[in-house]
Amino acid sequence: IGINGDTNNAFTGALTNAFYISSDDPHNGPIQFGTKGNDRITILNDDNTFVGVGRTNPKYLLHAAGDIASDAGITAAGNIFAGGGITADTVKVESELILGGNIILPDEGHIGGGDGQDRIVFDINGNHIDVNTNIVRINSKLEHLGDDNTHLDFDTTDSIKLTAGGNEFIHGTAT
């Protein structure tokens, strides 16, 4: 513990006239801060210098044991992994959004393009989805919800089949 009068005097990156706590000895353990008899912050003394908030064994550069809040925004130059979900008024994705689970929307949700125009509007109370685009791509089947026997199939390239109530009405293949 000390006060550093010269920049980088106590350790690399130290600020001028800054109060510092340092554990330079490689045999020293981590640095911990606690209140009311509980660990609150742990800084590991290893090559990674992981910091745990409410964690004594952090696995990331900053590893919190609970929720993290921001009154402004959160900016990430890399990936964001959300095992429990993301709750936000707005989520802006600059490049690519890959989902491994569900998108849960309130009564109405919007997915827009870079021009600010809505491309897909989910109106849960109105029981409809509006798609505002020139092309809707479907991999294989468009099925009536609650009726497995009514669907529009795109079995293979240049093939379409319309089935209702289990009866095939149209089956065409381009020749």
Side-chain angles (χ1 to χ4, degrees), residues 23-31 42-52 56-61:
S23 178
D24 293 339
D25 186 342
H27 303 291
N28 288 343
I31 296 173
T42 299
I43 304 170
L44 296 182
N45 185 20
D46 61 11
D47 292 336
N48 299 314
T49 61
F50 292 156
V51 176
T56 57
N57 61 342
K59 304 291 186 226
Y60 302 95
L61 190 59

Side-chain angles (χ1 to χ4, degrees), residues 76-152:
N79 296 324
I80 296 175
F81 299 96
I86 296 174
T87 303
D89 292 330
T90 301
V91 176
K92 182 178 180 182
V93 179
E94 296 289 336
S95 175
E96 186 173 51
L97 177 63
I98 300 172
L99 301 172
N102 298 323
I103 298 176
I104 301 173
L105 300 171
D107 294 338
E108 186 173 300
H110 301 258
I111 297 177
D115 57 2
Q117 299 295 313
D118 288 339
R119 294 293 185 259
I120 302 175
V121 177
F122 301 89
D123 185 347
I124 307 306
N125 291 331
N127 293 317
H128 68 273
I129 298 173
D130 297 331
V131 180
N132 181 18
T133 184
N134 293 331
I135 298 173
V136 176
R137 294 176 190 223
I138 298 171
N139 190 34
S140 138
K141 182 188 281 188
L142 183 62
E143 187 173 280
H144 181 256
L145 183 63
D147 181 4
D148 296 6
N149 294 318
T150 302
H151 44 84
L152 182 61

